[in-house]
Amino acid sequence: MRLSAPFKLSKWIKSRKGQQAIIIVLFMTIPLALLLTFTYFPFAEMFKFSFYKMKYVGEREFIGLKNYIDVFKRDDCFQALRLSLYYMCGAVFQLALALYLAAILSFKVKGGNFFKGCMFFPYLINGIAIGFIFKFFYTRGFVFDTVLQWLGFELENLPYWLKDTSINNISLVGTSVWKYFGNNMVLFIGAMMSVDNELYEAAMLDGANKWQQFRYIMLPSIKTIVMLNLIMSITGSLSAFEPPFVIMSGGANGTATYFVKMHEIAHTSQKVGLASAMAIVLLLIIFAATILQKLFFKYVFRDAEDDDVNAAKRREKRMAREKAKARRR
């Protein structure tokens, strides 16, 4: 006797697999609905706006790719995009500093936990608060100038850290390095602590020095977290906002980054279509930077990957030999 479709469905719903499937779907429904409502739908609308000449309120005029062309033709947009190079260089320096300090603190060092806490503390401070702190830190005759005078520098010979256009962007990058390198350092330390100590002991027995241990054992072992930190730092540098906006009161004296200029165009000039095109261009640049970084790390760590493959093959051959010996017995 054949069972009807409703009966089969009812039986499946009451079964263990059916209930598991229903629970999974129910748990996925709300997150997916929120993701679609607050991420993908706004992104689709922003992409649509990038083809229009429009304000927040009023008529819209379809202009095709003109907004995208203007992103690269307008001097202020292109200059803001070039300023990201300062922050990208700062991100690379920040990662190198974090990796260096992590390599030192991953070994037993007197007062290591105290230094870790001190270096990680700036990451816990709100970005707006850091902006106000460094605004007074760099002000002429205040903290930074006072410290340099203690070291023997004359105040008259010191530059204006925020007014001098040749150095003010470097000063702002310094605030980002100070805030984020502690977080990267802690992540590196956590990854380094997971490396098997027996590898270091074997390397020391073979006569490897600290640099060789770092180059051939530690660095390949933490390549995933290094790549993740670099991707996050580079993408973060492309979207720098708080230092120029807070310290320089909206990006004065040539410090307006891409995000600051986008904010100005969208909310001050009310050119919503152009600002949307700038956001799409930034997204494409971040995608390109991420892919290039992944290819770079794949090239850098290709020897380590080959070693892992060869080690796995050697383990498989050893296990096969042991099994063969066990069968003979």
Side-chain angles (χ1 to χ4, degrees):
M1 182 179 178
R2 290 186 178 181
L3 298 174
S4 62
F7 183 79
K8 286 181 179 179
L9 180 62
S10 175
K11 188 176 179 180
W12 179 81
I13 290 172
K14 293 177 181 179
S15 67
R16 182 182 180 84
K17 287 185 178 179
Q19 290 180 359
Q20 286 178 343
I22 291 170
I23 290 172
I24 290 170
V25 170
L26 290 174
F27 271 98
M28 289 175 59
T29 300
I30 295 176
L32 285 175
L34 292 173
L35 189 65
L36 290 170
T37 304
F38 296 105
T39 301
Y40 292 113
F41 178 72
F43 175 78
E45 286 293 301
M46 182 183 70
F47 182 70
K48 184 179 75 174
F49 292 161
S50 66
F51 297 102
Y52 287 85
K53 180 181 179 181
M54 56 176 289
K55 296 183 178 181
Y56 284 109
V57 179
E59 296 182 356
R60 301 176 185 178
E61 178 187 351
F62 182 80
I63 57 174
L65 297 174
K66 188 176 183 306
N67 285 326
Y68 290 95
I69 296 170
D70 287 345
V71 171
F72 296 98
K73 286 183 68 175
R74 286 177 55 130
D75 291 337
D76 55 349
C77 293
F78 196 68
Q79 175 63 22
L81 192 59
R82 284 194 300 175
L83 279 183
S84 300
L85 294 174
Y86 282 94
Y87 291 87
M88 290 176 70
C89 292
V92 174
F93 172 76
Q94 161 194 308
L95 284 176
L97 179 63
L99 191 58
Y100 174 72
L101 293 173
I104 294 174
L105 294 173
S106 62
F107 298 101
K108 290 184 179 179
V109 180
K110 262 190 180 179
N113 290 331
F114 173 76
F115 286 110
K116 290 176 193 175
C118 290
M119 294 173 189
F120 182 72
F121 178 72
Y123 182 72
L124 302 176
I125 304 176
N126 180 271
I128 304 297
I130 287 178
F132 283 113
I133 289 170
F134 276 90
K135 188 169 187 176
F136 291 102
F137 181 80
Y138 285 128
T139 300
R140 184 69 166 180
F142 276 52
V143 182
F144 194 36
D145 287 346
T146 302
V147 172
L148 291 176
Q149 287 179 79
W150 290 346
L151 297 176
F153 291 91
E154 295 292 334
L155 182 62
E156 291 76 14
N157 298 328
L158 295 175
Y160 286 85
W161 303 105
L162 299 179
K163 291 183 179 180
D164 191 343
T165 55
S166 65
I167 201 173
N168 55 8
N169 284 300
I170 298 174
S171 302
L172 296 180
V173 170
T175 67
S176 295
V177 172
W178 182 79
K179 175 176 172 60
Y180 291 106
F181 91 93
N183 178 58
N184 291 327
M185 182 196 70
V186 170
L187 293 174
F188 284 141
I189 291 174
M192 290 173 180
M193 297 294 283
S194 65
V195 181
D196 192 353
N197 286 328
E198 292 181 1
L199 295 175
Y200 295 118
E201 294 171 2
M204 290 173 67
L205 291 173
D206 291 337
N209 56 32
K210 292 292 184 185
W211 165 249
Q212 290 170 331
Q213 292 177 38
F214 174 79
R215 172 66 182 84
Y216 296 105
I217 297 175
M218 186 180 288
L219 192 58
S221 299
I222 64 169
K223 61 184 178 181
T224 303
I225 196 68
V226 171
M227 185 170 67
L228 176 64
N229 274 347
L230 184 59
I231 289 172
M232 291 176 64
S233 298
I234 296 297
T235 54
S237 66
L238 289 169
S239 55
F241 179 77
E242 290 168 348
F245 189 78
V246 179
I247 299 175
M248 298 302 297
S249 302
N253 295 334
T255 60
T257 57
Y258 197 74
F259 249 56
V260 173
K261 183 56 64 176
M262 193 191 310
H263 174 272
E264 179 187 330
I265 288 173
H267 298 117
T268 304
S269 303
Q270 291 279 308
K271 295 181 179 180
V272 179
L274 179 59
S276 300
M278 290 178 69
I280 299 296
V281 169
L282 180 62
L283 180 64
L284 295 175
I285 292 172
I286 289 174
F287 276 150
T290 302
I291 293 169
L292 289 174
Q293 288 172 73
K294 293 187 77 171
L295 293 174
F296 172 76
F297 275 100
K298 188 176 181 180
Y299 173 77
V300 168
F301 291 114
R302 69 189 187 283
D303 294 335
E305 290 176 358
D306 293 340
D307 291 341
D308 292 341
V309 173
N310 293 331
K313 289 179 179 178
R314 286 194 297 269
R315 283 196 299 269
E316 288 176 2
K317 289 179 181 179
R318 187 169 62 251
M319 290 174 66
R321 286 195 300 267
E322 290 175 356
K323 286 179 180 180
K325 287 178 183 179
R327 288 197 196 102
R328 292 192 199 105
R329 291 172 187 169

